[in-house]
Amino acid sequence: MPSARGPLDATSFPDVLRAAKGGQEWAIEELFIDLQPRLLRFLNGLEAGAADDLAGEVWLAMARGIGGFEGDLTGFRAWVFTIARRRAVDYRRAAGRRPAVPVGTEFFSDRGASSDTAAEVIERLSGQGAIDLITSSLPEEHAELLMLRVLGGLDVLRVAEIMGRSPNWVRVTQHRALRRLAVVLDSAAGDDNSGRRVIPQAEPAISTP
Amino acid sequence: MTDDQIPPLADGLFDGGLAADVAPKGLRSAVSLLNVAGRPGSDAELASMAARVRQFSAEIHAVSNASTRVTRATPVPAPGLLGDAGFCSEASFSPATLRSNPIFATRVTRKALTIVAITMLAAGTAAAAAAAAGVLPVFYEDMPTAVVDNVPTIDDFIHPSNTAPSAPSTVDDRMPGEAPTIVVEVEPVDNPDFHGKCTSWMYVSAAEAINPSFAPLFAAADAAVLTIDEYCTTVLAAPVPADEPLTATKPANDAATDSKPADVSPTVANPAGDPPTAAQPTDEKSKDEKSKDEKSKDEKSKDEKSKDGEHGNGNHDHGKHGHGNR
C-alpha cells in the first residue's frame, strides 16, 4: 500500500513530522506506511508471535514522545527502533527465555523446478520471509545487527549505540554476518538438490512464544 | 581480524543501498536477501493502519490536552486542610495527567500548599493575638475605624431607615494627625438573651466557654468586630430591658471603655463582683429603677438626635437607637 504522497524521505520528513506532532492523520499514515512493516519484521525477528503487540506498544510510545522529538529521518528511525528493541527485551525478560525452535528447509521447499536458482527463490520471498530466513541462518546478534542496518536504515554509529557495542564491533560483525549468510544460502541452494539439510540446526534459531 | 584488516565491503554495501549488482559474486545471494527484507510493506502488514493511526492521533491529543491541563491546573489542595471541597475529582487525575505529572511534582505541590496554609493560619492567629493585646502597629490600629464604620450590623437589616449608607465616615472628617476615633457598633443590647448570656459569660470557665448556647453571642461579637469580653462589657453596661429580671453585673472592664458609649452607664453594678442573683430585692426598688431607666433613655434619645443633626451618620448610633421602643 504505497503512500499517495510518495515514499517518506529526508526531504519530506520535516513536514510530515510537524504535521504528525499536531495529530494530523495523513502524516501519521505516512509514518505508519514507512515504519510499520519494518517494525513488524524487526520485532518478528526478535520475538516471533509477539510482534503485533510489541508494535502497538511502540506506536503508543511514539505518540507520547513525538512531541519532544527533534531530528531528521535517520534519527527518527533510530529512535523508533531503540524503543522497539527495548520493548522486545522487556518482553523477553518478562516471559522468560523461550526454547529456540530450529527452522528447517521449508524456505526452499517451494522451488518449482530444479533449474530455479537461489536468487530466484529469494525473489519470491516476502519481506517477512526474508527476515525469517536471516534470523534462522545467523546468530541472534548478527541477525539483529543486519536488521537494524537494513530495516532501520541506520548507520554504523547508530547501530553501535543501540546495541551498546563499539562501531568497530559493528563493522566486523556485519561483515561476518554477510559472509555467513552467503555461505548458508549458497549451501542451501546446492544441498537442497541433493536432499541434505539446508540450514544447520546448531546456530539458527528464532524464538517462539 | 584487526581494525586495519576490516574490508570496507559490507559497510559500503549497506551505505550504498545494497545493490546486488555491485556486490562480489559470493555475496550476491545474501545481498539479494537483504534487499528483499527491506521491501515496502505488504497489505497484510499495513492492515491495522486505520486503527493504529486513530489510536496514535488520539494519544497525541490526549498528551497535548494533559500538558495543557498541567499548565493551567490549579494547585491540588492538601487533603484535610480545606475540607471535602479540597479534594480533586477523578476527572482531574486522568492517566494522561498522571503520566505527564510526576508523583514528585504532586508531592511537592501538596507540601507547598500545606506550608502556605499553615503559615496563613499562624499569621491569622498571631494577628488576632496582637489585636487582643493591643500591640498592633499604628497602621493596623487605625484600621478598625475604617472597617468598623462600614460593617453592617443586624440592626441595619432590621431597621434600614436607621442606616445612612451614603453618610460620610468619621474617618474622612478626621484631620491629619488627629487621633482616630474608634466607634464600635454593637448588637442590640436590649435583647434579654444577650444580657443573660453575657452575664453567664463573665463567670464561665474556659471549658464551659464552648457551650453551644454562647454561639449567638459569638456571632454578635463577630458582627461588631469585638471580642466576647468587650462585647459583653458593652452589653452589660447598657440599660437593662424592662422585662428582664434585674441581675447583678460585673464591673465594666477598663479595656472596653473606648468602645463604650459615653452616655451609657450601667444600671446596676456589682462592685464586689459577686455572682449574679436572679431574685429581685423589692418591688419598689424595681419600680424606681424602671423610672430611672426611662428617664435616662429619654435623655439619651435627645442627645442622639442632636448628635445626628451634627454628624449625619446614623451608623454610630445603632446601639442606642430605638432602645426604648423595643
Side-chain angles (χ1 to χ4, degrees), chain B residues 42-268:
Chain B
S42 63
D43 288 344
E45 288 171 325
L46 298 174
S48 61
M49 184 169 72
R52 287 275 161 78
V53 167
R54 277 197 303 271
Q55 184 185 16
F56 190 94
S57 180
E59 187 68 20
I60 284 180
H61 289 304
V63 170
S64 63
N65 289 340
S67 60
T68 306
R69 277 201 301 273
V70 169
T71 304
R72 297 178 181 171
T74 52
V76 180
L81 279 177
L82 301 179
D84 291 339
F87 288 103
C88 288
S89 63
E90 289 184 6
S92 61
F93 279 109
S94 68
T97 307
L98 290 176
R99 279 194 298 270
S100 56
N101 192 11
I103 296 173
F104 175 75
T106 306
R107 286 180 178 169
V108 168
T109 306
R110 289 187 176 180
K111 275 188 177 179
L113 281 170
T114 306
I115 291 169
V116 168
I118 291 173
T119 305
M120 290 176 68
L121 285 172
T125 307
V135 294
L136 279 174
V138 175
F139 170 75
Y140 293 106
E141 289 187 345
D142 286 348
M143 288 180 66
T145 306
V147 173
V148 171
D149 280 350
N150 296 309
V151 172
T153 63
I154 296 175
D155 212 20
D156 295 337
F157 299 101
I158 296 174
H159 302 286
S161 59
N162 293 342
T163 308
S166 60
S169 167
T170 54
V171 177
D172 297 333
D173 297 337
R174 191 156 45 92
M175 296 297 290
E178 185 183 352
T181 304
I182 299 179
V183 181
V184 177
E185 303 294 336
V186 296
E187 287 297 302
V189 292
D190 57 348
N191 187 337
D193 285 346
F194 283 170
H195 272 271
K197 288 182 191 307
C198 280
T199 304
S200 302
W201 173 262
M202 292 299 179
Y203 296 98
V204 296
S205 65
E208 294 167 337
I210 60 173
N211 192 318
S213 63
F214 290 119
L217 203 54
F218 294 159
D222 285 343
V225 198
L226 290 173
T227 64
I228 306 293
D229 288 337
E230 290 169 350
Y231 179 75
C232 281
T233 303
T234 307
V235 168
L236 294 176
V240 181
D243 55 348
E244 185 191 20
L246 185 63
T247 57
T249 58
K250 192 179 179 180
N253 191 353
D254 290 340
T257 51
D258 286 343
S259 60
K260 184 176 63 179
D263 56 347
V264 176
S265 59
T267 309
V268 175

Side-chain angles (χ1 to χ4, degrees), chain A residues 7-188:
Chain A
L8 186 65
D9 55 17
T11 307
S12 61
F13 177 73
D15 292 336
V16 172
L17 177 65
R18 195 177 307 112
K21 285 180 178 179
Q24 297 189 32
E25 293 195 354
W26 68 266
I28 302 168
E29 287 178 0
E30 293 279 328
L31 294 177
F32 190 86
I33 291 170
D34 181 74
L35 286 170
Q36 175 72 357
R38 301 166 185 264
L39 271 179
L40 280 178
R41 294 169 196 171
F42 178 70
L43 292 168
N44 258 321
L46 296 179
E47 288 295 328
D52 276 336
D53 294 338
L54 293 175
E57 292 183 18
V58 172
W59 280 99
L60 209 57
M62 286 168 58
R64 292 169 190 161
I66 195 171
F69 177 83
E70 295 293 339
D72 56 4
L73 179 58
T74 306
F76 188 76
R77 285 175 176 165
W79 175 57
V80 172
F81 276 85
T82 302
I83 296 172
R85 186 172 184 272
R86 287 176 179 168
R87 289 289 184 276
V89 170
D90 291 342
Y91 177 84
R92 194 174 299 174
R93 283 176 183 160
R97 190 67 183 172
R98 293 173 179 77
V101 178
V103 177
T105 60
E106 61 269 22
F107 290 111
F108 289 89
S109 62
D110 59 346
R111 290 178 62 173
S114 59
S115 59
D116 286 351
T117 61
E120 290 170 339
V121 175
I122 289 171
E123 282 300 314
R124 286 199 293 268
L125 289 174
S126 65
Q128 187 61 60
I131 290 296
D132 290 344
L133 185 54
I134 291 171
T135 54
S136 64
S137 305
L138 299 176
E140 190 173 335
E141 271 192 328
H142 292 197
E144 185 179 352
L145 187 154
L146 290 186
M147 286 192 291
L148 288 173
R149 288 286 270 153
V150 174
L151 299 176
L154 308 178
D155 57 19
V156 171
L157 293 179
R158 290 187 188 275
V159 172
E161 189 177 350
I162 290 174
M163 296 188 69
R165 299 282 192 166
S166 69
N168 281 338
W169 180 90
V170 173
R171 289 192 184 95
V172 170
T173 305
Q174 72 183 8
H175 175 73
R176 289 178 178 171
L178 269 179
R179 286 286 182 195
R180 189 181 191 109
L181 187 61
V183 169
V184 169
L185 291 176
D186 289 342
S187 64

